[in-house]
Amino acid sequence: RPGFTAAAVISLALGIGACAAIFSVVDSVLLRSLPYPEADRIVQLREVSEKGTYMPVAAPNFTDARERNNSLDALAQFGSGLVTVTGGSQPVRTRACWVSVDFFRVLKVEPLVGRTFLPEESSSGAQVAVVSYGFWQRLMGARTDLTGATLNVDDRALTVVGVMPQGFAYPESAEIWTPRETTLPGETSRTAHNWSVIGRVRSGVELEQARADLSAIGRQFKQDYGKDVDAVDLALIPLQEYQARNVRSGLWILFGAVGFLLLIACANVANLLLAQATARKKELAVRAALGATRFRLARQFITESMTLALIAAAIGTLLSLWGVDALVALNKGNLPRASEIGVNGRALIFTLGLSMLVAVALGLFPALKSSGKDLQSTLKESERGQSANSVSHRLRGLLVVSQVALTLILLVGAGLLIRSFMRLLQVDPGFRPESAVAMDISPTSPKDDQEKQQLARFHRQLLEGLKGLPGVTAVGGVSSLPLTGGGPDGTFLIDNDRSNTGYAEYRKASEGYFAAMGIPLLRGRLFEQSDTADSPHVALISQSLAEKYWPNEDPIGKRIQFGNMDGDLRLLNVVGIVGDVRDYGLESKVLPSVYAYSFQRPPSSNTSIVVRANIDPSALIPAMRSELESLSRDVPANFRTVEQIFSSSLDDRRFSLILFSVFASVALLLAVTGIYGVMSYVVTQRTHEIGIRMALGAQSSDVMKMVIRQGMKLAVIGVGIGVAASIALTRLIESWLFGVTATDPATFAGVVMMLIVVTLAACYIPARRATKVDPIIALRYE
């Protein structure tokens, strides 16, 4: 029975492989313990605001919590950011992490080479660093003797004292760790929430005890410091739980969706097995007459289904290996612990156990159905030509109804996500992504006025050089590009009046930036080269800021002070209003923004330069790189087209959309195959009846309507059940939707119509075959 075997194995392999792939992700991110000793005792500390939201920890509050608590072995603060590193085999821009002295003690991870920081190094001002295994391999030649090994990190000479083991990457993507106490100045503000904090719960202390201890300390802050602190509590969260907080519900929903797909595949195979069991009634009856027990018959079915399931598991495992790689690539590394995701022993055990469960269930299903009949009546029935059995038909019909209902649920989920995605693409980002390329550069941070002037000249020369490239129509720089997660924001003073304040995003931009990005000027003027460092400082504001703070007057000529963003307290004179852009994603609301002229303010070491051209923008990248290297070979750069930036902002939504769509498409294929198989079997079983009907005068159209009506009846029942279930279950993905509701009528109507049409097509072919039955041959069938 090669056809039956191929259909069963393919159906099960698709279901088992998809389940194994999603389980591998769920296991790595949600279930498997973090790769640290006693990882369940590692916690994340967060401040709690009056509104109950979690916040990073202010440095003085961290110090108090560390000194006052009685339940933690160690508590460490850390922050991270991009730095420029020279001294290795090539200049690079990578992520550095500034950590307090107990950071590695909290994680209990020993270095592969060398050592971590000594307690006295945090107070002596020692300029030391620990690097990651990957950084050590790529840029330090994997040298085991670290004597004299130094790196220049943002123009600071650091001695490398240790190398962390392969796989250690906390926080995510960090490659250099350096003492926080010697890197950044002390902070006194209790409302500057700048630090992440991790701790290790003391042995013998329960998590709830530690939570109560830290909570009491947090509540005491308000009593001790009053208005100087805005935290009302401290919260402890297991580190693994904290890392997975943004993906936990989504991964479980995807796991449930792939479970539906497996159920549909099992229903398909169960239908095939029922058909086989019906065709083998005479054989089974003879076996029973010769003394085979129910257990013996059930064992035969289970053995056969076990063989199918094991073959499917082997193919499914191969599919899952490819599937996991595809999932990680599709998510662009945004999943936490992405480097740990893979098909490991736990995933293989899960796959094998799932296969055994499926095999037993599929084997028992036809066995129980076949063994419950009176032996004599079964033998007589077999002799009459294996006439249609009403119980078998009801079971097969029930399986088809289940398939249709489950398929509709997946189709509705995919449909809602597709409509959300289309609505999102209709949102105006505030700029034109096409025909532009962005170059992110990171020169060394300036330390004095002379270095600041040199950096400003470097930026000016680079912009002028890029303007001269063939095909370039506009060039400009900005401190933070739209759709990349935003930048600094804070309170500004209107007319330098502390009683008249506003809140906005803060960006520094050059004169050509708005033309290069295609951000429209709505009123006033843009920056000009005539706006020198000695002339009055100018600013552009976004439309939303103008409407919010000057709703009934002209903002042109107004003055604001935004010195807390860059340390320059000189007033900014508003000279123009530009269009709003989306900084944090297309689905996020527009935020008021202030743009200061970059050549009047303290220069930023991190700058993105946008080049718009009338040619393919990616073709400009070699020339842009050459222009940069002609000015400095020590400045690392990263190139992206603005369309790539726009596309990457949709990665999270695209991930769930593609997965749901794939699951729904496979489910639809399996459901259609199941319906077609049932109707083909029905036609075969009813050949004698159809021949009699046609001999008595039934027309071909009557026979076709009869067969299609039977199939569509099952489909309509399945659709009804599926719609009811979808209304309840789609609320689980409500947070993934944009611009549509979880019960969007258009989506439900479209999915129902599609499923009805596809089901009609699946019924048509068997119905057409039924009309070709020759009454004479059918009447002589027995």
Side-chain angles (χ1 to χ4, degrees):
R1 297 173 293 170
F4 160 77
T5 302
V9 167
I10 291 172
S11 295
L12 290 178
L14 288 173
I16 291 173
C19 274
I22 297 295
F23 173 81
S24 296
V25 177
V26 170
D27 178 55
S28 298
V29 177
L30 303 181
L31 304 180
R32 195 189 312 161
S33 178
L34 294 173
Y36 312 118
E38 299 178 289
D40 58 318
R41 308 195 73 81
I42 305 176
V43 292
Q44 182 97 15
L45 178 69
R46 305 291 281 183
E47 293 186 13
V48 183
S49 70
E50 291 183 352
K51 296 181 179 180
T53 56
Y54 290 162
M55 305 180 292
V57 180
N61 295 342
F62 159 76
T63 302
D64 284 355
R66 181 178 59 184
E67 294 174 351
R68 297 182 188 181
N69 85 85
N70 298 307
S71 54
L72 302 178
D73 268 337
L75 196 65
Q77 65 178 162
F78 65 91
S80 65
L82 294 174
V83 295
T84 299
V85 183
T86 57
S89 59
Q90 61 183 12
V92 293
R93 187 70 172 164
T94 190
R95 184 164 296 279
C97 190
W98 304 282
V99 304
S100 63
V101 65
D102 285 334
F103 178 80
F104 295 107
R105 182 181 164 204
V106 169
L107 299 173
K108 284 190 175 181
V109 178
E110 296 297 325
L112 176 69
V113 178
R115 60 174 176 83
T116 57
F117 308 131
L118 302 176
E120 58 269 22
E121 286 175 333
S122 63
S123 57
S124 65
Q127 301 295 308
V128 293
V130 172
V131 300
S132 72
Y133 180 87
F135 186 95
W136 178 63
Q137 289 277 325
R138 295 193 324 271
L139 301 170
M140 298 184 64
R143 55 186 288 190
T144 55
D145 182 7
L146 298 179
T147 304
T150 60
L151 296 173
N152 192 310
V153 179
D154 273 354
D155 213 24
R156 290 174 56 239
L158 301 180
T159 300
V160 179
V161 297
V163 178
M164 298 309 292
Q166 186 174 12
F168 179 83
Y170 187 80
E172 197 78 27
S173 71
E175 291 199 304
I176 298 175
W177 295 266
T178 186
R180 172 258 186 274
E181 294 87 351
T182 61
T183 306
L184 299 173
E187 296 178 5
T188 59
S189 172
R190 293 185 180 272
T191 58
H193 304 286
N194 297 327
W195 297 95
S196 296
V197 175
I198 56 173
R200 177 174 286 274
V201 178
R202 187 169 297 164
S203 179
V205 177
E206 297 296 328
L207 178 60
E208 290 307 317
Q209 292 176 267
R211 280 175 167 163
D213 180 24
L214 272 296
S215 179
I217 296 171
R219 292 195 299 272
Q220 187 67 31
F221 285 165
K222 204 66 178 175
Q223 299 179 26
D224 293 345
Y225 307 111
K227 294 181 179 179
D228 291 336
V229 67
D230 54 3
V232 298
D233 203 347
L234 290 174
L236 282 184
I237 310 157
L239 183 59
Q240 183 170 4
E241 178 183 325
Y242 180 80
Q243 286 185 331
R245 66 195 183 282
N246 295 326
V247 299
R248 180 179 301 276
S249 60
L251 288 179
W252 283 122
I253 289 171
L254 289 174
F255 196 50
V258 80
F260 282 179
L261 178 62
L262 179 61
L263 288 176
I264 294 169
C266 289
N268 219 27
V269 177
N271 252 328
L272 292 172
L273 290 172
L274 276 177
Q276 291 295 323
T278 303
R280 295 169 62 185
K281 280 193 298 183
K282 186 172 182 179
E283 171 203 336
L284 297 173
V286 170
R287 288 179 180 274
L290 293 174
T293 62
R294 283 190 177 188
F295 175 74
R296 177 63 184 83
L297 295 176
R299 190 174 67 187
Q300 179 176 337
F301 279 108
I302 292 174
T303 301
E304 293 175 1
S305 62
M306 189 78 71
T307 303
L308 294 174
L310 288 176
I311 297 173
I315 298 174
T317 300
L318 295 176
L319 291 175
S320 69
L321 291 171
W322 172 83
V324 167
D325 291 340
L327 288 174
V328 175
L330 181 62
N331 196 252
K332 309 293 185 183
N334 293 327
L335 284 169
R337 305 172 65 184
S339 61
E340 300 176 35
I341 297 174
V343 180
N344 56 15
R346 288 160 62 104
L348 293 176
I349 291 172
F350 169 81
T351 304
L352 183 61
L354 182 64
S355 304
M356 296 300 99
L357 181 64
V358 167
V360 171
L362 291 176
L364 287 176
F365 194 68
L368 293 175
K369 177 260 173 188
S370 302
S371 61
K373 287 193 166 284
D374 176 70
L375 181 59
Q376 187 175 5
S377 63
T378 302
L379 286 169
K380 290 181 178 180
E381 184 181 272
S382 298
E383 290 169 357
R384 289 196 303 268
Q386 300 178 0
S387 60
N389 180 276
S390 59
V391 175
S392 176
H393 286 170
R394 284 197 296 271
L395 285 173
R396 291 170 65 80
L398 179 62
L399 290 171
V400 169
V401 168
S402 302
Q403 281 183 293
V404 172
L406 293 172
T407 301
L408 187 135
I409 294 171
L410 292 179
L411 286 172
V412 167
L416 289 172
L417 293 176
I418 290 172
R419 280 180 58 80
S420 292
F421 197 76
M422 298 305 295
R423 290 285 180 89
L424 201 60
L425 291 178
Q426 295 172 7
V427 174
D428 182 10
F431 59 90
R432 294 188 293 117
E434 71 283 355
S435 303
V437 63
M439 176 174 64
D440 303 318
I441 59 173
S442 305
T444 301
S445 299
K447 294 183 176 58
D448 52 37
D449 290 340
Q450 182 179 357
E451 290 187 0
K452 290 179 181 179
Q453 293 174 6
Q454 291 174 351
L455 181 58
R457 282 197 299 272
F458 169 79
H459 281 156
R460 175 64 74 189
Q461 291 170 355
L462 181 58
L463 291 175
E464 292 298 328
L466 294 174
K467 286 179 184 177
L469 295 179
V472 171
T473 59
V475 177
V478 70
S479 55
S480 181
L481 288 167
L483 296 182
T484 58
D489 58 358
T491 301
F492 61 86
L493 308 181
I494 300 175
D495 286 329
N496 212 20
D497 182 359
R498 293 192 173 277
S499 64
N500 190 8
T501 62
Y503 200 91
E505 300 286 311
Y506 180 75
R507 307 287 182 267
K508 288 183 283 189
S510 71
E511 65 271 11
Y513 169 70
F514 300 95
M517 284 294 289
I519 300 173
L521 173 67
L522 304 180
R523 190 186 305 176
R525 69 172 178 89
L526 297 173
F527 300 137
E528 299 172 352
Q529 289 194 23
S530 58
D531 297 316
T532 64
D534 298 325
S535 60
H537 285 209
V538 295
L540 301 172
I541 61 174
S542 65
Q543 182 180 10
S544 59
L545 188 143
E547 292 173 349
K548 182 174 182 179
Y549 295 106
W550 294 284
N552 300 314
E553 52 185 318
D554 188 359
I556 305 298
K558 300 294 182 181
R559 299 186 304 169
I560 60 178
Q561 194 262 88
F562 221 155
N564 59 327
M565 289 293 99
D566 58 15
D568 193 328
L569 299 180
R570 283 174 287 185
L571 297 182
L572 296 169
N573 297 273
V574 177
V575 297
I577 303 173
V578 295
D580 289 310
V581 298
R582 309 268 174 171
D583 285 304
Y584 294 90
L586 294 178
E587 70 272 24
S588 64
K589 64 181 181 180
V590 167
L591 298 175
S593 299
V594 171
Y595 299 90
Y597 185 35
S598 58
F599 290 107
Q600 290 183 325
R601 310 298 284 188
S604 298
S605 56
N606 298 327
T607 301
S608 296
I609 295 178
V610 181
V611 177
R612 182 168 293 276
N614 53 21
I615 61 174
D616 179 9
S618 59
L620 281 173
I621 292 177
M624 292 172 65
R625 189 185 302 277
S626 176
E627 189 66 34
L628 173 64
E629 291 177 350
S630 69
L631 296 174
S632 175
R633 292 185 174 274
D634 292 331
V635 177
N638 178 50
F639 294 87
R640 299 171 291 174
T641 66
V642 178
E643 286 183 326
Q644 288 173 334
I645 295 173
F646 179 84
S647 177
S648 64
S649 71
L650 301 171
D651 282 345
D652 287 343
R653 290 187 174 273
R654 190 181 290 110
F655 177 72
S656 53
L657 166 64
I658 292 177
L659 284 186
F660 252 93
S661 298
V662 169
F663 294 162
S665 300
V666 174
L668 181 61
L669 177 63
L670 292 174
V672 168
T673 304
I675 294 170
Y676 171 80
V678 167
M679 299 316 300
S680 295
Y681 179 76
V682 166
V683 169
T684 301
Q685 291 293 97
R686 299 179 67 178
T687 299
H688 188 66
E689 173 196 342
I690 292 171
I692 293 175
R693 288 178 179 272
M694 297 185 73
L696 294 175
Q699 301 298 313
S700 296
S701 59
D702 298 324
V703 174
M704 179 173 287
K705 289 177 183 178
M706 177 187 70
V707 176
I708 290 178
R709 188 184 304 116
Q710 185 173 352
M712 294 307 295
K713 179 181 177 181
L714 298 175
V716 169
I717 295 173
V719 164
I721 296 172
V723 167
S726 296
I727 291 174
L729 293 176
T730 50
R731 299 187 186 280
L732 296 175
I733 63 171
E734 204 159 17
S735 61
W736 296 357
L737 304 182
F738 177 85
V740 297
T741 64
T743 56
D744 179 54
T747 302
F748 274 74
V751 168
V752 168
M753 289 300 298
M754 181 180 71
L755 199 52
I756 292 294
V757 169
V758 170
T759 302
L760 188 62
C763 295
Y764 175 78
I765 298 175
R768 179 81 174 174
R769 192 167 66 245
T771 63
K772 305 298 183 181
V773 171
D774 188 329
I776 301 299
I777 296 176
L779 290 174
R780 293 196 310 212
Y781 181 72
E782 295 295 334

